[in-house]
């Protein structure tokens, strides 16, 4: 079967918790693309991805990234690329949700957090 384009209408991605996946591992082995809705006061603890890039684009709101010992404010329009092996985490210090476009490359992130194959 020849490759086919994938079109995901608004709100019809594959959801795991607060992440809506628009491109899944089942769609391409090269990356996953998701939209993360990150609640006020929430924090994702520092962690490391050994074999993948983790990229973020802030669509709405502002996050604070913890990049090793550094703290970096990331308002709307900010792009952050975390290479493999770099410790990172982030938190929402505001009173509004933050909307984040997130890319992991290569794919696999969706399956690690519970999206069925």
């Amino acid at each position: 079967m020849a490759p086919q384009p994938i079109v995901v209408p608004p709100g019809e991605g594959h959801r795991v918790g607060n992440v809506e996946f628009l491109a899944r591992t089942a769609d391409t082995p090269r990356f996953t693309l998701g939209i993360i809705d990150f609640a006020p006061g929430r924090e994702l603890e520092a962690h490391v991805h050994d074999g993948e890039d983790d990229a973020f684009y802030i669509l709405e709101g502002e996050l604070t990234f913890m990049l090793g010992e550094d703290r970096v404010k990331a308002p709307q329009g900010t792009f952050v690329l975390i290479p493999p092996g770099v410790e990172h985490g982030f938190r929402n210090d505001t009173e509004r949700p933050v909307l984040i476009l997130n890319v992991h490359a290569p794919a696999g992130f969706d399956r690690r957090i519970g999206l069925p194959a």
Side-chain angles (χ1 to χ4, degrees), residues 13 22 43 46-47 52-53 65 69 75 85 88 112 116-117:
L22 305 177
E43 180 173 337
H47 60 283
E52 65 193 38
D53 290 295
F65 278 85
E69 297 298 318
H88 63 287
R112 282 198 314 281

Side-chain angles (χ1 to χ4, degrees), residues 30-50:
R30 290 176 286 285
F31 68 95
T32 58
L33 176 87
I35 297 178
I36 302 171
D37 185 357
F38 209 69
R42 184 165 181 196
E43 180 173 337
L44 182 65
E45 305 81 27
H47 60 283
V48 173
H49 301 287
D50 290 326

Side-chain angles (χ1 to χ4, degrees), residues 8-15 19-22 24:
V8 181
E12 294 187 24
H14 300 270
R15 187 165 286 281
V19 181
E20 179 186 10
F21 285 98
L22 305 177
R24 308 165 296 158

